[in-house]
Amino acid sequence: MNEEDEIITKIPIRLSNRLSLQIHQFPLLSRPLQAPPSAEASGKRITARIKPQSRVLEIHVPVDTRPEVYNTERGHELGKGQQDDDREQNQERKGKGREGEEPRLAEVRLRSEEIPQRGVQMLGIVHENELHLHPVSAIHQFRPTLTYLDIISRKSRRRGGDDSDSDSDDGPPPDPDEPAPTAAPPKKEKKTAAGEAKEVQVSARRIDDKAGNLSQLSNARKEMLAIIRAEQEESWQNLEFCGMTTEEAGHSLDQFFSYNNEELHCSTDVTTFLTTAPKT
Amino acid sequence: MSDNASGSASKPKAISSLAKRPSEVTRQGTQKIKFVPTLPARRNKDVEPTLDIIPALSNDRGRGRGRGRGEGSGRGRGGPRPPAEMVASGPFALGPAMAGTSSSRRFAQAATPIATPSRTEASSLGAGLSQAAAPKIKQESKKEEQDEEAYSDPDEGVEIIDMENVRQMDWMAPDSLRKEKEKRLKKEDPDASERGTRIMDAPDEEDDEADGRELETMFDDDFGTTNHDEANVSQHLYLFQFPSPFPTFSTKGSDNVQEETPLTQASKKVTFAPDVKVETEVQPSSRGPSVPAEIKEELDGLIGHLEVYRSGARKIRLGNGIVLDVSPASQPSFLEHAVHLDMHENKLAILGEIFRHYLVSPDVDALLAAMDALDSGPQTVLAGEENLIRMDIT
């Protein structure tokens, strides 16, 4: 940078941290997040819900259900699957509208994953010729969940009757390094030839091996399973989704800015960037 | 051609390919006539009779001829075609591969407006479409006005669809890929006052020229070519990635207490002195150094300046001699929302879509100078030693 470089403008920077700010990324979406006009006309809105402890959010976006762009029969099949999936996870929405009508898949569920931050993310807005900064507390990426497909495929697999591994309650399949579960016979139950299928819940239990290091592996696995279990058992809390143009959003935006004119004192130095060990 | 005239007897000087060429000489020893397509990429009917005139060729030439003629009429497919062929017209004339680029060049007619796809009686495809476009993310709006194509009036039963404007046909219509613009209009450098208001967007223009046009999402030549007005600019959300740890700030007057507050956990980069929620005139020392109730303290105030240089560089100058460079980071091509999650009121409020990403890194010169000062700082200079040079034993 040569010394002849002169400063053209200099704007003050202000910091505030009143809000709990998050960044939501939608990697598979390149259009604004909006309900299609046909859905809005019929009263559907974007809704959201959260599991606070597990830090998982879901955003439900209504889908365009016009017959030109929506396959109604498939919508009914998938809707049924989604209803079963909800019922299984005890998340069924109570009493939504007409009971007699078959459910259909009328929304896309975007589920979030929290992304670890690199460095410190700050949101900046230039307001009245000043740059206002605000730290970001979390970054979430949203992708559609298709768990209703799992239910549907599970049913069709059971109906087909082949010996595939349908999951029992415990999530991940057995570790290939560890000895195969000995409980082979109780693993499957086929439906009786005449009529209805009997579904039996089975759990595969593994006999303890002599090798001692197995316990460490299963400890880590137990933790993972515990996390998964905790997340599944936590119930959703509904959130009110306020779009960009709503009043609540405007109110939040007002809270974003820094209003104090006082100069804050900085107590660290440039060198802390190098001397402080980076946090992973 | 003359070199190979004698056939296999002479060795050709340069072998361009090791594949055996079909021999240049017929069995009678006369020179075979080489087929050279004379009329590339023309679709006139005159092409076909011209090719027919070429005298007897061998079989493999026939295949080539068909291919040549196929290329001559602009189609990507091979195979011989009957000479009495209709001249193709309409948007799909050039085959599927050319559909995307055809609109701009082949159909420019004099000053006829585009036949909008509102003539839906012509085709059932467009019957249910809502004719309302889905909005785009708040990117720079493309300069589509200058590229709108004029089409000839459509025949009955034919609906003209400009492939670039498919997006406007319906909410669910797909996005067309953007074409590469050959050149952008050069904007002359505006005066500094106007540049001052476009602080974050302006100096990228110099980078734009250098980086070419491939990644339009990364550097958008928005200075002067888009319709940003003042109101718009003030609502753009920028995401800055600062190096960790973010410098700690505290309000003045309370830094006598707990200065070495340890840096808190990774998610909260800004640590604070004891809680002083300051209004403008209140003396911070009036509230004593009370124990901080929680880790996250309220912070509100001025921390530094953003300097914009003539060369386009931007620096952030905070207190305590901290200088940081600001450079554009890679821009995501997807949607990003800045969101306020209010758990007390169970509210999720969207503040807006993020416009640009910037990467902030320490200015290296300042950093090295500070490191030097840090290393050599604690040493005191004894009397009489000022002129001596210290040996660096680190």
Side-chain angles (χ1 to χ4, degrees):
Chain A
M1 195 68 56
N2 43 359
E3 281 68 19
E4 291 88 34
D5 214 5
E6 42 168 309
I7 298 182
I8 298 181
T9 348
K10 197 166 157 179
I11 55 169
I13 303 180
R14 307 172 74 146
L15 183 68
S16 74
N17 64 345
R18 228 169 278 124
L19 304 177
S20 147
L21 206 62
Q22 290 185 352
I23 301 286
H24 287 178
Q25 297 180 335
F26 299 86
L28 301 173
L29 199 62
S30 55
R31 305 176 183 184
L33 194 69
Q34 285 178 3
S38 61
E40 284 213 3
S42 63
K44 302 200 186 69
R45 302 275 178 268
I46 302 182
T47 54
R49 52 188 194 174
I50 185 175
K51 284 185 179 174
Q53 299 307 318
S54 329
R55 290 188 303 271
V56 172
L57 288 113
E58 260 195 17
I59 294 185
H60 299 177
V61 183
V63 141
D64 201 343
T65 51
R66 289 174 294 156
E68 295 94 28
V69 293
Y70 183 83
N71 184 349
T72 322
E73 306 146 16
R74 190 85 177 118
H76 283 307
E77 291 173 26
L78 298 178
K80 183 97 182 25
Q82 191 171 65
Q83 204 182 45
D84 293 341
D85 184 48
D86 279 348
R87 209 173 287 144
E88 234 180 71
Q89 304 198 12
N90 300 326
Q91 294 164 12
E92 188 177 2
R93 305 233 177 142
K94 309 287 180 286
K96 245 188 116 194
R98 308 163 272 206
E99 292 298 332
E101 160 153 326
E102 272 191 42
R104 57 179 193 163
L105 193 68
E107 59 187 11
V108 176
R109 294 194 179 172
L110 302 167
R111 193 185 175 89
S112 84
E113 272 182 41
E114 188 163 2
I115 306 289
Q117 286 191 48
R118 307 281 304 270
V120 181
Q121 309 280 349
M122 292 258 172
L123 191 69
I125 305 184
V126 177
H127 180 67
E128 290 170 4
N129 229 15
E130 290 178 332
L131 178 64
H132 293 245
L133 291 181
H134 195 296
V136 170
S137 50
I139 300 187
H140 286 264
Q141 279 193 357
F142 283 82
R143 291 183 175 86
T145 48
L146 307 174
T147 47
Y148 49 85
L149 293 180
D150 296 338
I151 295 255
I152 293 177
S153 71
R154 198 191 310 175
K155 281 211 192 116
S156 62
R157 228 186 283 141
R158 286 222 187 101
R159 239 178 287 122
D162 49 340
D163 196 7
S164 58
D165 51 341
S166 60
D167 286 345
S168 54
D169 294 3
D170 312 317
D175 199 348
D177 295 334
E178 307 190 12
T182 58
K187 205 159 170 29
K188 287 294 166 288
E189 174 94 12
K190 297 299 167 286
K191 69 173 184 178
T192 58
E196 36 183 280
K198 285 180 71 148
E199 288 190 12
V200 178
Q201 295 288 20
V202 299
S203 63
R205 211 172 308 135
R206 202 173 302 113
I207 48 174
D208 283 331
D209 205 348
K210 299 107 181 158
N213 56 354
L214 267 189
S215 57
Q216 297 168 2
L217 284 174
S218 51
N219 270 347
R221 188 98 75 59
K222 277 180 197 153
E223 283 175 33
M224 276 167 35
L225 289 180
I227 293 178
I228 295 178
R229 176 72 49 80
E231 186 197 322
Q232 280 179 354
E233 285 175 353
E234 192 181 352
S235 60
W236 290 104
Q237 290 183 25
N238 282 332
L239 289 178
E240 183 192 338
F241 185 92
C242 313
M244 273 189 287
T245 51
T246 57
E247 227 182 275
E248 290 90 349
H251 180 61
S252 296
L253 195 58
D254 291 333
Q255 287 187 316
F256 171 96
F257 295 117
S258 141
Y259 294 106
N260 188 12
N261 277 328
E262 184 194 354
E263 228 174 273
L264 296 178
H265 171 76
C266 178
S267 42
T268 53
D269 205 0
V270 205
T271 55
T272 52
F273 293 133
L274 282 184
T275 52
T276 316
K279 301 184 169 38
T280 49
Chain B
M1 180 163 140
S2 53
D3 284 340
N4 297 330
S6 38
S8 50
S10 72
K11 291 193 170 33
K13 303 259 185 333
I15 304 179
S16 59
S17 80
L18 292 179
K20 190 166 180 350
R21 286 178 168 220
S23 97
E24 308 294 326
V25 177
T26 63
R27 280 193 221 115
Q28 278 82 17
T30 57
Q31 184 66 26
K32 267 196 200 171
I33 299 181
K34 253 207 159 98
F35 172 71
V36 175
T38 54
L39 300 160
R42 216 190 285 178
R43 287 185 301 111
N44 292 338
K45 278 197 189 160
D46 306 330
V47 176
E48 273 75 27
T50 315
L51 293 181
D52 286 344
I53 291 173
I54 294 179
L57 307 173
S58 57
N59 285 344
D60 51 353
R61 288 291 176 229
R63 229 184 304 124
R65 163 200 187 189
R67 221 178 294 127
R69 194 191 313 166
E71 283 166 282
S73 55
R75 293 186 191 268
R77 313 183 190 95
R81 297 198 172 269
E85 188 179 8
M86 283 197 306
V87 175
S89 64
F92 301 111
L94 303 179
M98 307 279 282
T101 59
S102 68
S103 56
S104 67
R105 273 168 274 280
R106 308 279 176 174
F107 294 101
Q109 301 280 336
T112 50
I114 298 179
T116 64
S118 57
R119 298 170 51 135
T120 53
E121 73 275 2
S123 79
S124 60
L125 254 182
L129 301 181
S130 64
Q131 306 305 330
K136 290 191 198 181
I137 306 181
K138 190 176 41 168
Q139 306 274 358
E140 292 43 61
S141 65
K142 290 303 139 196
K143 304 79 185 160
E144 278 134 7
E145 298 78 17
Q146 55 202 26
D147 289 340
E148 295 222 344
E149 292 302 326
Y151 291 95
S152 56
D153 292 329
D155 312 320
E156 300 83 25
V158 172
E159 179 181 338
I160 289 197
I161 298 174
D162 188 356
M163 289 304 284
E164 290 185 13
N165 293 339
V166 166
R167 194 69 205 85
Q168 268 92 39
M169 288 177 66
D170 188 64
W171 174 273
M172 297 288 283
D175 292 322
S176 348
L177 292 178
R178 292 183 222 160
K179 274 173 29 185
E180 292 223 349
K181 308 273 191 290
E182 292 90 27
K183 65 183 184 67
R184 295 281 179 94
L185 304 174
K186 296 279 189 182
K187 304 292 175 195
E188 51 273 9
D189 214 18
D191 51 337
S193 60
E194 193 180 338
R195 192 186 275 243
T197 56
R198 311 257 178 103
I199 303 147
M200 305 308 300
D201 310 333
D204 285 345
E205 190 183 16
E206 287 81 12
D207 304 323
D208 281 346
E209 319 300 311
D211 284 2
R213 298 279 169 250
E214 283 89 30
L215 287 176
E216 284 193 355
T217 51
M218 191 165 160
F219 295 122
D220 269 326
D221 181 22
D222 64 71
F223 186 48
T225 53
T226 55
N227 49 2
H228 284 163
D229 46 69
E230 294 307 314
N232 241 350
V233 171
S234 73
Q235 290 310 315
H236 282 165
L237 272 60
Y238 302 104
L239 196 67
F240 293 90
Q241 179 166 326
F242 280 81
S244 83
F246 193 73
T248 57
F249 287 96
S250 54
T251 52
K252 271 199 201 129
S254 51
D255 49 83
N256 48 354
V257 184
Q258 291 189 14
E259 240 173 2
E260 60 277 4
T261 312
L263 295 170
T264 55
Q265 58 271 26
S267 60
K268 307 276 187 288
K269 291 302 177 231
V270 195
T271 57
F272 311 94
D275 175 24
V276 187
K277 196 168 183 175
V278 192
E279 286 83 30
T280 344
E281 275 80 29
V282 173
Q283 292 300 327
S285 54
S286 63
R287 321 167 181 232
S290 48
V291 182
E294 52 203 3
I295 302 293
K296 181 172 187 284
E297 306 291 342
E298 283 277 337
L299 207 64
D300 189 341
L302 213 65
I303 57 173
H305 285 86
L306 173 73
E307 299 163 355
V308 181
Y309 289 83
R310 179 169 297 279
S311 64
R314 276 154 296 184
K315 287 192 193 296
I316 287 182
R317 203 172 288 269
L318 305 175
N320 238 359
I322 300 180
V323 186
L324 305 161
D325 283 333
V326 180
S327 50
S330 55
Q331 312 294 334
S333 60
F334 48 78
L335 176 69
E336 273 188 319
H337 275 170
V339 158
H340 168 45
L341 178 64
D342 192 350
M343 286 312 292
H344 299 295
E345 302 179 22
N346 271 355
K347 205 173 65 165
L348 188 75
I350 311 287
L351 297 178
E353 294 168 7
I354 296 192
F355 186 66
R356 284 248 186 107
H357 283 235
Y358 287 97
L359 186 62
V360 178
S361 46
D363 177 77
V364 182
D365 297 328
L367 182 62
L368 292 177
M371 287 299 284
D372 280 343
L374 188 70
D375 287 338
S376 59
Q379 298 163 358
T380 58
V381 180
L382 301 177
E385 275 193 0
E386 294 91 356
N387 294 334
L388 297 181
I389 303 173
R390 238 172 232 287
M391 187 169 74
D392 186 14
I393 51 173
T394 54

